[in-house]
Amino acid sequence: MSSLRNRLTLALTLVLAAVAALLAIGLQHFPRELVERYVASRLEHDAEMLYVHFDEAAAASASGSASTSAGASIASAASASAGEALGGEYALPLSGHYFVVKRVPRVGVGAAAADETFLSRSLWDEELPVAPLTGAAERVTRRPGPAGQTLLAYTRRFAGADADWTITVAEDVSGLDASIARFRRVLLSTVLAALLALAWLQREIVVRGLAPLARAVEACRRLERGESVAVPSAAPDEVRPMLEAVDRLAHHQAQRLSRVRHAAGNLSHALKTPLAVLAQIADERDAAGDATAAAEIRDQVDSMRETIERELRRARLAGSGVRSGGFDAREQLQALAEALGRLHAGRALRIDVVAPATRFPLDREDMLELFGNLLDNACKWAKTAVRVELAERDGALHFRIDDDGPGVDDALLDRLGHGTLRTDEHKPGHGLGLTIVGDIVTQYRGAIDYRRSDRLGGLCAAGALPLGDEALASHADDRRR
C-alpha cells in the first residue's frame, strides 16, 4: 500500500477496532459481575438476618417447653421474626427468593440431636440441593432453580453457641440477565455506530491534514497544463519545507529555460549579419560569372539558416518557463483556419473544422504550432478542400488532416517529418514544418502517420497525443532537459 492517506486511515481504523474489541470484551463480563456483586451483597445481608433469627429461635426453643417439637418451634419462631425483617418474598410460592438453613449440633454440647434443615415457604414443594462448604466460609454460585429460573445462590457458614449453621440464600436473576443482554446489545450497537462515525471523522482529519499535498499535486498538474500558478506553501510544518523547495525548483527551472531561450535567440540574431554577408558574396560571385561557387555558397547559407531556424523552434518547444493555457480545440482551430483562409483567399479554398468545444490539458502554443504547420502544408497543396478532425478517445487526443491535393509518392511517405525533406522545390519554405510537427509529437509521447487520404484523395496526416498524467509528466520532463 503506497498511499500515505490509506496507510494512516488503516492504522487509525485498526486502533479503533482494537479499542472496540476491548470494549466488547469488557461489556461481556463487567455488567454481569457488577450486578452479581450487588445481588450477592444483598443476599449476604439476608443470610446474616436469617442466622440471627434462627439462632435466637434455637436458643429460645432450648429453654422452652419439652412437649413442643424443637424443629417446629425453631422454624415457626424464626419464620415469624425473619418474615418481619426480610419481607414476604420468602413466603410467596416460587417468588424467586429462597433460603435453605441447615443446623448441625456440636457433639458434646447439650443433648445429642440430629441435623436439621429448614426451607423457605417460597420453595413450596421444590427442593434446592446445597453442596457442603469445603474450606471456604462462604460461596457464591449460579445454579438452576424451580420453574426454570436461574438462581444466584449465596452460601455461608456461621458458628452458633451450640451448633453450626449453613445458610443458603438464592435469588432469581433471569430478569436481570435479560436486562443485561438487552443493555449489552443497545450499548454495542451504539458503540459500533460511534466507532463508524469516529472512523469517518478520522478519515476526514487525515484527508484535511494531507490536503496541502493534494493542492501541491494539483498545482503541479496545472503547471504541466500550462497554467501559471504557484505551489501553495500553507501546510503543516512537516510538509512546508518540501512544498517550498518544489516552488523554488519550479521558479529556478523557469528562469533557466528562459535564459536558454533568450541565448538561442541572441545567437540567431548574431548570425543573421554574417549570413547576409555570405549571401551578398554569393550574389557578387554570381554576377562575376562564377555561378558554381555562388550556388555552393547559397547552399551552405540555406543549410545554416535551416539549422538555425530548426534549433530556434526546438528551443521554443523546450519552453519559456511558463507555459500558455490549455488548448481550446474548436475555438482556436477555427481561428487558425480563418487566418489560413485569408492567406489563401485567391484560391477559394474551403477549410472544414470538426472538433469538440473542449479545453484539453495541452500547451496552446505547441498545438497551434503543430496544427498550424499541418494545415499550412495541406493548404499549400490542396486544390479546393482541407478537412481537420479532432476527437478524444481512449485517453488521447486523436487528430486527422486531409487535403485534396496531389498527395505524396508512396516511396516518400515514410520520410515525411524527418530532416528537411521537400517534395517540390517550387513551393515556398525550407521543409521544416513537418519536422517541427514530428518534434512536437515526439515530445508529447504521441504518434503521427502520413498516408494517402481515403476521403479527399490527397495527403492524410493522422496521429494521437496522450492526455494522461504520465504522458504530460513525460512531456514536462522533455521540456526540462
Side-chain angles (χ1 to χ4, degrees):
M1 184 182 295
S2 59
S3 171
L4 180 61
R5 179 186 304 170
N6 291 338
R7 280 190 287 179
L8 288 175
T9 300
L10 178 61
L12 293 175
T13 302
L14 290 177
V15 171
L16 290 177
V19 172
L22 292 175
L23 185 59
I25 294 173
L27 288 175
Q28 188 69 22
H29 301 286
F30 179 72
R32 177 173 169 175
E33 290 179 1
L34 184 65
V35 171
E36 286 185 354
R37 287 178 185 176
Y38 171 74
V39 175
S41 67
R42 193 172 61 201
L43 295 179
E44 181 182 7
H45 171 266
D46 290 354
E48 291 174 350
M49 293 293 295
L50 287 170
Y51 164 68
V52 170
H53 292 297
F54 271 91
D55 192 58
E56 289 178 353
S61 176
S63 61
S65 172
S67 61
T68 305
S69 169
S73 175
I74 292 174
S76 176
S79 298
S81 59
E84 295 177 359
L86 302 177
E89 292 89 350
Y90 293 97
L92 185 65
L94 303 178
S95 63
H97 296 266
Y98 313 103
F99 67 76
V100 177
V101 179
K102 185 175 182 180
R103 180 175 179 270
V104 181
R106 293 195 184 92
V107 178
V109 180
D115 296 350
E116 297 176 288
T117 300
F118 308 98
L119 305 178
S120 65
R121 293 179 182 177
S122 56
L123 280 171
W124 201 242
D125 56 353
E126 299 284 343
E127 294 184 359
L128 189 64
V130 178
L133 286 172
T134 55
E138 61 181 5
R139 180 179 64 212
V140 178
T141 58
R142 275 181 171 261
R143 56 178 303 160
Q149 297 172 345
T150 299
L151 302 180
L152 183 67
Y154 174 81
T155 303
R156 182 174 174 182
R157 184 168 50 236
F158 296 91
D162 57 355
D164 291 330
W165 299 84
T166 301
I167 300 177
T168 298
V169 186
E171 181 176 337
D172 179 23
V173 292
S174 301
L176 291 175
D177 286 345
S179 297
I180 291 173
R182 186 167 53 253
F183 166 77
R184 190 179 294 150
R185 288 194 300 270
V186 172
L187 188 58
L188 284 176
S189 301
T190 304
V191 168
L192 179 60
L195 288 176
L196 291 176
L198 286 175
W200 175 83
L201 180 61
Q202 60 92 13
R203 173 73 178 185
E204 289 297 312
I205 292 174
V206 169
V207 170
R208 289 178 179 272
L210 297 178
L213 290 178
R215 289 195 293 269
V217 171
E218 178 60 24
C220 292
R221 288 176 177 171
R222 291 174 63 188
L223 285 172
E224 290 176 358
R225 292 195 296 265
E227 302 177 27
S228 178
V229 294
V231 178
S233 60
D237 294 339
E238 296 80 3
V239 179
R240 188 182 301 115
M242 182 189 69
L243 298 181
E244 292 175 349
V246 171
D247 190 46
R248 289 194 300 270
L249 179 61
H251 182 67
H252 172 73
Q253 192 68 14
Q255 290 181 331
R256 181 180 177 184
L257 290 174
S258 180
R259 288 196 298 269
V260 170
R261 186 188 182 211
H262 287 303
N266 293 335
L267 178 61
S268 172
H269 289 294
L271 291 175
K272 283 183 178 180
T273 300
L275 289 176
V277 172
L278 289 175
Q280 185 178 0
I281 293 174
D283 293 338
E284 292 175 354
R285 296 300 299 269
D286 192 14
D290 193 354
T292 302
E296 291 178 358
I297 294 174
R298 288 193 183 99
D299 289 341
Q300 295 302 319
V301 169
D302 289 342
S303 178
M304 285 187 287
R305 283 175 176 169
E306 290 169 1
T307 302
I308 292 171
E309 185 177 351
R310 181 173 182 174
E311 294 306 318
L312 282 176
R313 294 289 187 180
R314 286 180 173 174
R316 197 208 62 77
L317 289 176
S320 58
V322 178
R323 295 170 59 200
S324 60
F327 177 56
D328 293 316
R330 181 184 297 175
E331 177 183 347
Q332 290 165 359
L333 281 180
Q334 287 179 343
L336 185 60
E338 291 174 1
L340 288 171
R342 289 192 295 270
L343 184 62
H344 298 275
R347 300 171 50 200
L349 189 63
R350 187 183 78 253
I351 304 175
D352 297 325
V353 176
V354 180
T358 305
R359 171 175 289 221
F360 293 101
L362 300 168
D363 183 64
R364 183 184 61 212
E365 299 300 327
D366 288 351
M367 295 302 102
L368 290 178
E369 188 80 30
L370 171 68
F371 294 112
N373 279 296
L374 289 173
L375 285 173
D376 182 56
N377 183 75
C379 290
K380 287 178 181 178
W381 294 97
K383 298 175 182 177
T384 59
V386 173
R387 180 181 177 87
V388 55
E389 294 184 10
L390 268 71
E392 182 179 2
R393 295 193 307 272
D394 303 325
L397 177 62
H398 293 262
F399 60 88
R400 174 171 176 159
I401 293 91
D402 296 87
D403 65 68
D404 62 350
V408 179
D409 293 339
D410 294 340
L412 299 178
L413 285 175
D414 293 337
R415 297 175 57 192
L416 287 179
H418 301 283
T420 56
L421 173 68
R422 297 179 60 190
T423 59
D424 191 342
E425 296 293 334
H426 298 289
K427 294 291 183 180
H430 300 291
L432 287 174
L434 297 185
T435 302
I436 294 171
V437 167
D439 290 340
I440 297 174
V441 171
T442 299
Q443 288 203 359
Y444 276 89
R445 297 294 192 267
I448 188 169
D449 174 58
Y450 298 97
R451 59 180 180 267
R452 175 73 60 177
S453 174
D454 56 357
R455 296 180 179 177
L456 299 180
L459 180 66
C460 171
L465 300 176
L467 296 174
D469 291 337
E470 294 182 0
L472 295 178
S474 299
H475 172 60
D477 291 340
D478 287 341
R479 282 177 168 265
R480 289 190 287 268
R481 291 192 180 101

